[in-house]
Amino acid sequence: AQSVTQPDIHITVSEGASLELRCNYSYGATPYLFWYVQSPGQGLQLLLKYFSGDTLVQGIKGFEAEFKRSQSSFNLRKPSVHWSDAAEYFCAVGARNNNDMRFGAGTRLTVKP
Amino acid sequence: DTGVSQNPRHKITKRGQNVTFRCDPISEHNRLYWYRQTLGQGPEFLTYFQNEAQLEKSRLLSDRFSAERPKGSFSTLEIQRTEQGDSAMYLCASSPFSAGSNYGYTFGSGTRLTVV
């Protein structure tokens, strides 16, 4: 069965600094990988997804993620963080036919002024 | 289309009461999913439908939980004889389906259940 590990429960960065959120997955076949963002009291919004092809994928709000098969990782990055990026970030792995998606426990991002 | 809609946004109920939540997916999406999210955790899969057929149920979905999607449009999730451990955010999501593809999900804003 697929699973996702997000090693960092909480990360604090200064506004304007770069950001990297870690994600490791376990899946027996080719994974479909996703990053979602959740603001307090809200649902999840899709930031980006990876299925195949170029291992560096671009998403919304200036985010990107890199798939590294050898490390079973799919880390999320942003070159310069804005205060509005403060939220909870979830990495997820899904199957080819999107039967169900498994989420990590999330990383809470705090942005210092 | 305004996305995935969930009602109510918040529900407070007494232990032992029954509650029902509604989800209206994006109209052209034939797959609909229910997830539960507790504080500090990621969403946990409960069940999903393709059109009106319920194709998979998690072991988290005890016999007190039932979900329906009549006519393949909106869906309801009912919890009978609620317990304090049922307090959580219940998230609905929808997606299009095409064999061999995974488009990711569009989530609603969730229904927050508090059992007192």
Side-chain angles (χ1 to χ4, degrees):
Chain A
Q2 61 261 42
S3 65
V4 176
T5 301
Q6 294 181 247
D8 305 304
I9 295 173
H10 183 207
I11 284 183
T12 300
V13 299
S14 297
E15 190 169 16
S18 63
L19 171 70
E20 182 169 23
L21 302 182
R22 297 184 292 164
C23 171
N24 293 98
Y25 69 90
S26 174
Y27 189 58
T30 300
Y32 287 66
L33 295 161
F34 306 84
W35 275 99
Y36 286 84
V37 61
Q38 185 178 35
S39 297
Q42 299 299 312
L44 282 74
Q45 181 184 22
L46 181 65
L47 285 176
L48 49 78
K49 56 192 175 187
Y50 171 77
F51 297 155
S52 64
D54 192 346
T55 57
L56 185 64
V57 293
Q58 304 296 320
I60 62 171
K61 304 185 181 187
F63 285 93
E64 66 179 25
E66 185 172 13
F67 171 64
K68 292 186 178 180
R69 184 184 298 275
S70 62
Q71 298 177 18
S72 297
S73 69
F74 188 57
N75 294 348
L76 182 72
R77 300 195 294 248
K78 186 170 185 178
S80 177
V81 169
H82 188 263
W83 65 266
S84 61
D85 294 324
E88 189 93 17
Y89 291 81
F90 293 95
C91 181
V93 61
R96 177 185 291 271
N97 291 316
N98 68 311
N99 295 348
D100 72 85
M101 192 177 299
R102 302 302 170 105
F103 288 81
T107 297
R108 182 162 60 93
L109 174 65
T110 299
V111 181
K112 292 191 304 184
Chain B
D1 197 335
T2 56
V4 178
S5 177
Q6 291 189 247
N7 288 289
R9 289 296 309 275
H10 304 276
K11 178 71 176 179
I12 299 175
T13 190
K14 292 184 178 179
R15 185 163 53 94
Q17 297 293 305
N18 299 344
V19 294
T20 300
F21 311 139
R22 176 178 171 125
C23 172
D24 289 89
I26 293 173
S27 57
E28 58 266 30
H29 287 181
N30 49 9
R31 285 213 167 169
L32 185 149
Y33 308 83
W34 284 100
Y35 280 78
R36 181 175 70 185
Q37 185 180 23
T38 53
L39 203 60
Q41 297 298 315
E44 296 173 294
F45 171 76
L46 292 178
T47 188
Y48 87 96
F49 293 83
Q50 181 164 315
N51 301 314
E52 66 277 8
Q54 188 173 19
L55 296 187
E56 187 173 345
K57 293 193 289 186
S58 161
R59 59 180 173 80
L60 294 175
L61 213 66
S62 75
D63 56 6
R64 295 186 297 106
F65 288 70
S66 62
E68 294 182 338
R69 192 183 182 196
K71 303 178 183 178
S73 56
F74 71 92
S75 176
T76 57
L77 178 67
E78 181 182 17
I79 308 174
Q80 296 181 326
R81 305 180 303 280
T82 53
E83 302 173 355
Q84 288 191 320
D86 297 330
S87 296
M89 175 81 89
Y90 290 84
L91 293 165
C92 176
S94 69
S95 74
F97 173 69
S98 174
S101 298
N102 188 329
Y103 299 97
Y105 302 168
T106 302
F107 280 87
S109 297
T111 294
R112 180 164 295 284
L113 173 66
T114 302
V115 182
V116 297

